[in-house]
Amino acid sequence: MDHARQPVEPSAELYAELLDVALAAAEGAGALLDQGRPEHLTVAATKTSAVDVVTEMDIAAEQLIVRLLAERRPHDSILGEEGAAAEGTSGVRWTVDPLDGTVNYLYGLPSWCVSIAADVDGVPTIGVVEIPARGERMHAVRGAGAFLDGRPLQVRPAPPMDRALIATGFGYRPERRARQAEVLNHLLPRVRDIRRGGSAAIDLCDVAAGRLDGYYERGLQPWDYAAGALIAAEAGALVGGRAGTAPGPDLTLAAPAGLFEPLQEALDQLGAWRD
């Protein structure tokens, strides 16, 4: 007899429950980070280089989120940037970045956030991005749109690429940064201008809000883009990687139809998907 778990049947009730949990977790972690930020942060660990810091607050925020998820959704799976991992049986998986924009946070810059997403049987379903320094909360529910503090979000109409304001980000390894600089050197003359904010989740949300025309980056992990990608998509953006692929470590790209396609083609020609 096959005892494999059957896929979860999506329902408005499940979506509402997952959104409520995600909002509560993001609000709690955002408050912890915002109110508890010490004047002189202590580096608890490093990742791939001395630049890529992991602060004590980062780790504390993930622990807060994981505790809340374990209390309210004990049978769900969890994937967290700072090492949280749990295998569940419910078909729901949470992808958590407790502090996206860690270096911004370390330096007292406002572009940092808490990013929480939920998949149901592998389908992106809920995304919440809490931006305390801006006093903003963005969220999306699959098929129901994206919102900023309760107000619907809509991407900006696609401009010609030479009039597009594009955001990007850079990796931490020197060799990757050098390659990304080469790509940027060739792309910059072909667009209106480039912005580098320091948080992939916020950049994706800013595409959703019409504050940017497009965004791309190589080297992102699922926790970097899971929530922001859903928010951008529900606001009307196309979101993907290289042609015919989903967003991922090779390339993540978001822009409205009409800009997405030429930007994706340009990035492919420039080899933005490889080091």
Side-chain angles (χ1 to χ4, degrees):
M1 183 179 294
D2 184 1
H3 294 286
R5 188 192 63 77
Q6 295 300 307
V8 174
E9 183 66 30
S11 67
E13 291 77 13
L14 176 61
Y15 285 5
E17 179 185 353
L18 296 179
L19 177 60
D20 183 62
V21 171
L23 289 169
E27 181 179 12
L32 171 71
L33 292 165
D34 192 35
Q35 299 168 15
R37 183 184 183 279
E39 278 192 38
H40 302 289
L41 290 175
T42 301
V43 176
T46 59
K47 297 179 189 173
T48 54
S49 77
V51 177
D52 191 1
V53 296
V54 184
T55 66
E56 293 174 353
M57 297 299 292
D58 197 337
I59 296 167
E62 181 162 292
Q63 291 172 342
L64 182 152
I65 293 167
V66 169
R67 284 196 301 270
L68 188 146
L69 294 177
E71 290 169 2
R72 297 184 58 174
R73 299 280 311 179
H75 303 296
D76 294 350
S77 301
I78 301 173
L79 174 66
E81 186 198 13
E82 299 308 331
E87 288 298 325
T89 58
S90 68
V92 175
R93 184 186 75 163
W94 297 93
T95 304
V96 175
D97 191 338
L99 178 51
D100 188 42
T102 307
V103 174
N104 286 340
Y105 181 78
L106 184 71
Y107 278 77
L109 295 169
S111 291
W112 57 270
C113 67
V114 179
S115 175
I116 300 176
D119 292 357
V120 179
D121 285 320
V123 178
T125 301
I126 300 293
V128 173
V129 174
E130 180 90 3
I131 315 173
R134 285 190 187 175
E136 293 181 347
R137 177 179 303 153
M138 303 201 193
H139 82 268
V141 177
R142 183 174 182 82
F147 301 87
L148 165 58
D149 298 331
R151 302 188 303 276
L153 292 173
Q154 182 65 43
V155 294
R156 182 181 291 272
M161 200 165 92
D162 64 358
R163 304 301 294 167
L165 181 63
I166 305 297
T168 191
F170 308 114
Y172 290 105
R173 291 188 290 108
E175 58 271 25
R176 174 166 291 176
R177 293 166 73 87
R179 175 65 188 139
Q180 288 171 323
E182 291 177 13
V183 171
L184 188 60
N185 186 51
H186 290 285
L187 183 65
L188 182 56
R190 302 168 63 177
V191 299
R192 178 191 292 271
D193 208 347
I194 294 288
R195 295 290 181 267
R196 196 280 200 256
S199 164
I202 292 178
D203 284 343
L204 286 162
C205 286
D206 281 346
V207 172
R211 296 165 175 165
L212 295 167
D213 293 308
Y215 163 76
Y216 78 93
E217 189 165 348
R218 166 162 168 73
L220 298 183
Q221 297 301 320
W223 46 76
D224 295 312
Y225 61 79
L230 181 64
I231 291 168
E234 286 293 326
L238 298 179
V239 182
R242 296 190 70 193
T245 69
D250 283 348
L251 187 66
T252 298
L253 169 64
L259 174 61
F260 181 91
E261 298 88 349
L263 180 58
Q264 185 184 56
E265 182 179 0
L267 292 169
D268 194 67
Q269 291 173 350
L270 293 171
W273 44 270
R274 58 179 170 80
D275 292 338

